[in-house]
Amino acid sequence: MFLRSFLAPTLGVALLAVALGGCGGDNAPDRVKIGFLVKQPEEIWFQKEWEFAQQAADRLGFDLIKIGATDAEKVLTAIGNLGAQGAQGFIICTPDVRLGPAIMARARSYGMKVISVDDQFVGPDGHFMDVPYVGISASDIGRKVGMALYDEFARRGWPLEETAVCVVTFEELHTSKERTDGAIAALVEVGFPADRIHKAGERTTDIEGSFHVGSAMLTRFPDVKRWLVCSMNDEGVIGAVRAMEGRGFNADTVIGIGIGGSSCVVEFQKSSPTGFYATCLISPKRHGYDTAEWMYKWITEGVEPPKDTRTEGIIVTRDDYDQVMREQGLL
Ligand code: FCA
């Protein structure tokens, strides 16, 4: 009797353990799969975001599916493919912010979670959508660029009447407009005359797009002898600076300051300084690693990511970029 009543529960527990063990083995949930879609896979910033997201995937043990989605059709097809593969969520920098509603509808049809990064979704009413977002503090960063341009212009003692600012804009994208508006506001506040600040829109936010703007600017203002250059990102400055260098300008007559810190490394590594003077270093680690980690926790633990995160930037030049990037864990 004693033996039976002792053994029975023990056996029961043992059987239960076997059953559970077997059950765990057969029905173990699939490895978490997370997509990471970017609008311009050829841009180094986005490759860095992927690289840091991959670090999160390796550390936390999930599959990261990286997709370059350069237009609406590719985005929607990619979401369908992710859904079919059983991905539980994705992070996206969309090629067009107005795709937000279509992206969310498609994601919802597969029960997938979404975090938007860099470029914020805009709804049909023109307002930002209520989807977790990680972006840069665009206005502040733009202002830092404007201040740094002015400081360097003043330090060199350039004559104002020979100097103008070339602002390569892409105003259809809010985060871009905030950056260039911030730079202009800071320059005007410290006393740079607004009528010597010239804006021109680029068609594409890459080096080629900016090169065209830079060339056109030189044709429009042939009397300007010294240029300050800013834009939404490094590419937007590099292109214009190259156009200027092609027409005889150089590091002594151009001060270009970008935003990013990825694409400009080649400029900083050239044996002698170029017109690309500095950048406002932003963090692909926070945009890539943190978003991927947050998505993983959202899927596995139900922890919702913060609704709106804005990351900061630091001005670096060819003299200190290497050290600062190391300190920031970017190298
Ligand atoms: C936008 C730009 C990128 C990068 C990012 C933070 O998506 O296109 O170059 O600056 O914001």
Side-chain angles (χ1 to χ4, degrees):
M1 183 64 199
F2 166 76
L3 201 63
R4 248 181 85 194
S5 58
F6 173 76
L7 272 182
T10 315
L11 197 65
V13 169
L15 283 174
L16 188 67
V18 169
L20 278 180
C23 178
D26 294 344
N27 298 337
D30 286 341
R31 222 168 122 86
V32 168
K33 290 195 183 102
I34 296 174
F36 204 124
L37 285 67
V38 302
K39 64 175 180 179
Q40 280 170 291
E42 74 292 348
E43 188 178 311
I44 305 177
W45 166 262
F46 296 110
Q47 294 167 13
K48 291 268 167 196
E49 281 185 338
W50 274 346
E51 193 182 309
F52 286 112
Q54 187 62 54
Q55 285 182 11
D58 294 343
R59 190 170 71 80
L60 298 164
F62 62 85
D63 290 338
L64 183 76
I65 303 161
K66 307 177 193 97
I67 304 172
T70 49
D71 59 34
E73 204 185 314
K74 293 207 176 76
V75 168
L76 297 177
T77 308
I79 299 172
N81 288 338
L82 285 171
Q85 288 180 61
Q88 297 95 330
F90 60 89
I91 298 130
I92 180 166
C93 177
T94 173
D96 182 346
V97 290
R98 287 161 308 177
L99 282 174
I103 292 171
M104 292 313 293
R106 173 103 357 155
R108 245 178 250 122
S109 74
Y110 290 101
M112 280 191 281
K113 302 184 181 344
V114 182
I115 297 178
S116 62
V117 71
D118 301 334
D119 300 356
Q120 193 168 18
F121 294 163
V122 174
D125 55 1
H127 291 125
F128 292 124
M129 289 174 67
D130 185 23
V131 174
Y133 170 66
V134 177
I136 66 168
S137 43
S139 231
D140 285 355
I141 284 172
R143 295 182 76 86
K144 280 190 183 170
V145 170
M147 285 303 301
L149 279 173
Y150 188 84
D151 287 349
E152 187 58 17
F153 153 80
R155 195 185 67 79
R156 295 188 190 187
W158 284 2
L160 187 57
E161 61 285 3
E162 290 184 359
T163 310
V165 188
C166 164
V167 188
V168 181
T169 62
F170 189 73
E171 298 200 330
E172 43 275 65
L173 180 61
H174 190 262
T175 178
S176 172
K177 185 171 185 324
E178 275 195 322
R179 300 175 200 186
T180 45
D181 281 356
I184 294 170
L187 280 159
V188 170
E189 270 168 38
V190 288
F192 203 92
D195 62 358
R196 300 195 70 81
I197 301 177
H198 308 303
K199 290 204 289 188
E202 55 182 353
R203 283 225 201 109
T204 51
T205 60
D206 52 14
I207 292 178
E208 203 187 327
S210 155
F211 186 89
H212 289 306
V213 171
S215 307
M217 195 65 88
L218 295 176
T219 309
R220 254 172 81 195
F221 301 101
D223 298 336
V224 173
K225 296 200 172 56
R226 296 159 201 275
W227 283 102
L228 310 180
V229 186
C230 61
S231 183
M232 72 171 298
N233 57 14
D234 286 345
E235 285 76 5
V237 174
I238 292 172
V241 167
R242 293 213 178 129
M244 290 171 182
E245 287 175 344
R247 304 250 203 119
F249 289 87
N250 58 34
D252 295 329
T253 46
V254 177
I255 302 167
I257 304 188
I259 293 173
S262 313
S263 312
C264 66
V265 169
V266 285
E267 292 292 310
F268 290 154
Q269 283 173 343
K270 288 182 180 163
S271 53
S272 41
T274 71
F276 192 98
Y277 171 72
T279 192
C280 190
L281 181 66
I282 53 177
S283 177
K285 186 172 183 185
R286 296 217 46 214
H287 290 226
Y289 191 103
D290 290 5
T291 52
E293 183 177 35
W294 289 346
M295 178 56 80
Y296 179 76
K297 292 209 168 132
W298 197 5
I299 292 166
T300 57
E301 297 168 25
V303 182
E304 288 209 19
K307 271 276 177 291
D308 193 328
T309 306
R310 306 293 169 134
T311 60
E312 297 298 325
I314 315 166
I315 299 284
V316 295
T317 66
R318 63 186 267 132
D319 297 332
D320 63 357
Y321 78 95
D322 193 82
Q323 185 206 330
V324 178
M325 283 177 87
R326 270 173 219 290
E327 283 165 10
Q328 300 285 313
L330 298 175
L331 275 183

